[in-house]
Amino acid sequence: MRAALHILDEHGLPDLTMRRLASALGVQPSALYWHFPNKQSMLAELSDRIVSRRSPDRTDEEWTARVATEAAALRDALLTYRDGAEVVSSTLAMGLGSTVAHDRLASAIAGGDFDDSTVDQAATAMLHFVLGHVFHEQQRMQYDSLGARPEPADGIEADASTPTTEFSFGIDLLVNGLLFSSQQAIDRS
Amino acid sequence: MRAALHILDEHGLPDLTMRRLASALGVQPSALYWHFPNKQSMLAELSDRIVSRRSPDRTDEEWTARVATEAAALRDALLTYRDGAEVVSSTLAMGLGSTVAHDRLASAIAGGDFDDSTVDQAATAMLHFVLGHVFHEQQRMQYDSLGARPEPADGIEADASTPTTEFSFGIDLLVNGLLFSSQQAIDRS
DNA sequence: ACCTGAACACCGTTCAAGT
DNA sequence: ACCTGAACACCGTTCAAGT
């Protein structure tokens, strides 16, 4: 796992092959298949390690702030390793890997007193957004790092929106969506 | 493109190799490289075809309904071909492919009279959700089709939430988030 | 303009056999 | 329990050469 994370971070997911991992460990490729049934399950274990980095669990009084904190911690964890979002995203899509990312978001959202189905579906929607956002963000990072990056033209700072503010915008949108629903429920009562 | 779409739908993305596509066309693999610089650009063209299926553009009076319609049309387009969401998602992440999906969502959202930056970021967030959702949905489809699907136990219909209702829930959340913002703006004035 | 033939430098995975 | 050696059945891509 340590060797795999090193290859991932240093050379990216396309270079993280079973053969390359084996040679980094000074071992034949076939040796890995005593420890893992296949490459997917090796990536699933890697995915769990990336996602499990504990967040600084400040128990905020406001559930909305806790959701924002949890989402930001997840983003940070994904950003820790190159192609982290892609590894986690494809692992979860395959139905592999732990559900800890979803569960942490769900537990924060549950602070808003919604029914179980709402909590679950909101957490899923938020997880999709986070993975999609960071995947996109990391792709741009290595595109920029090797391509011609279009410098912000002229004297004007062209763009006030950074990846971080864009991320917060999306999370706020989802949280506000939940607030809107509960407020409407109150209005009707 | 026709042959590629056929392989994609019949055998899935992992089987859509340049060599296999070539042999389906009765041609050597190297022949494809006269038409495309590499596999990525071939997939990008495929992605554009999948996404460009025109939606029944009913010009709904309510912008919220138009957003829902546009999002559902995008989901339908992605569901038309096996692994459609994965093809489009990876293409867009690479910075390839057209921006038509984003643009259609943005144009629907713009009906709510938000500033350009809000429209753009909301469309991006929504696109991430749609791609993440359908990717997940399609992965479950082929997992179910070849694995042991856990039948809804007992006499009770265990689950009221279908992929379609889950999808609508997420879109509604994002739309309500936008409504919440504009309503707060009114409250302050 | 469009394609072939042959090669290069790789993959993931299996499995008998070794220690 | 853990690994080697050798093989199987593939990949994407390049490039001189053909028509």
Side-chain angles (χ1 to χ4, degrees):
Chain A
M1 284 298 108
R2 220 181 307 127
L5 280 173
H6 185 253
I7 294 173
L8 182 67
D9 206 37
E10 214 73 16
H11 306 280
L13 186 56
D15 281 13
L16 179 50
T17 68
M18 295 301 264
R19 299 179 103 102
R20 182 152 184 171
L21 176 57
S23 89
L25 293 166
V27 108
Q28 295 292 323
S30 49
L32 300 178
Y33 287 83
W34 191 89
H35 301 275
F36 301 98
N38 49 49
K39 188 180 180 179
Q40 283 287 4
S41 66
M42 185 249 122
L43 289 176
E45 201 161 318
L46 215 58
S47 166
D48 286 356
R49 301 213 172 209
I50 293 171
V51 126
S52 297
R53 261 216 342 189
R54 192 54 211 127
S55 55
D57 56 357
R58 338 167 16 237
T59 56
D60 299 275
E61 54 280 23
E62 288 278 5
W63 70 271
T64 54
R66 233 198 103 203
V67 170
T69 304
E70 211 64 64
L74 177 55
R75 171 167 173 258
D76 285 348
L78 296 174
L79 284 174
T80 304
Y81 295 98
R82 166 130 70 135
D83 294 338
E86 189 173 359
V87 171
V88 174
S89 174
S90 69
T91 295
L92 293 181
M94 289 309 217
L96 301 175
S98 86
T99 59
V100 64
H102 173 280
D103 295 346
R104 284 181 185 166
L105 293 172
S107 126
I109 293 167
D113 268 333
F114 304 99
D115 62 291
D116 291 358
S117 161
T118 299
V119 168
D120 182 70
Q121 290 183 110
T124 300
M126 197 169 285
L127 185 55
H128 285 154
F129 168 73
V130 174
L131 291 171
H133 174 93
V134 182
F135 189 1
H136 195 174
E137 184 175 352
Q138 288 182 317
Q139 218 78 35
R140 272 181 307 202
M141 281 172 69
Q142 64 187 113
Y143 184 85
D144 289 353
S145 77
L146 83 233
R149 76 178 75 200
E151 285 288 336
D154 292 55
I156 306 156
E157 38 165 359
D159 208 352
S161 81
T162 66
T164 304
T165 60
E166 275 189 43
F167 180 78
S168 299
F169 177 89
I171 298 296
D172 287 351
L173 215 55
L174 290 162
V175 169
N176 286 345
L178 284 163
L179 285 173
F180 188 84
S181 308
S182 44
Q183 191 196 265
Q184 276 194 323
I186 292 166
D187 287 352
R188 274 195 302 274
S189 71
Chain B
M1 285 297 107
R2 221 181 306 130
L5 281 173
H6 186 254
I7 295 173
L8 183 66
D9 206 36
E10 215 73 16
H11 306 280
L13 187 56
D15 281 13
L16 179 49
T17 67
M18 295 300 264
R19 299 180 102 100
R20 182 150 185 173
L21 177 56
S23 90
L25 293 166
V27 110
Q28 295 292 323
S30 49
L32 300 178
Y33 288 83
W34 191 88
H35 302 275
F36 302 97
N38 50 49
K39 187 180 181 178
Q40 284 286 5
S41 65
M42 186 249 123
L43 289 175
E45 202 161 317
L46 216 58
S47 166
D48 286 356
R49 301 213 172 208
I50 293 170
V51 127
S52 297
R53 260 218 341 190
R54 192 55 210 126
S55 54
D57 56 358
R58 340 168 13 238
T59 56
D60 298 276
E61 55 279 21
E62 288 278 5
W63 70 271
T64 54
R66 231 197 105 202
V67 170
T69 303
E70 211 64 65
L74 178 54
R75 171 168 172 258
D76 285 348
L78 296 174
L79 285 175
T80 304
Y81 294 98
R82 166 130 71 135
D83 293 338
E86 189 172 0
V87 171
V88 174
S89 174
S90 69
T91 294
L92 294 181
M94 289 309 217
L96 302 175
S98 86
T99 60
V100 63
H102 173 279
D103 295 345
R104 284 181 184 166
L105 292 172
S107 127
I109 293 167
D113 268 331
F114 305 99
D115 62 292
D116 291 358
S117 162
T118 299
V119 169
D120 182 71
Q121 289 183 108
T124 300
M126 197 170 285
L127 185 56
H128 285 153
F129 168 74
V130 173
L131 291 171
H133 174 92
V134 181
F135 190 0
H136 195 173
E137 185 175 351
Q138 288 183 318
Q139 219 77 34
R140 271 180 308 199
M141 281 172 68
Q142 66 187 111
Y143 184 85
D144 288 353
S145 77
L146 85 235
R149 77 179 73 200
E151 285 289 334
D154 291 54
I156 306 157
E157 35 163 2
D159 209 352
S161 80
T162 66
T164 304
T165 60
E166 274 188 44
F167 180 78
S168 299
F169 177 89
I171 298 296
D172 286 351
L173 216 55
L174 290 163
V175 169
N176 285 346
L178 284 164
L179 284 173
F180 188 85
S181 308
S182 44
Q183 190 197 264
Q184 277 195 322
I186 291 165
D187 288 352
R188 275 194 303 274
S189 70

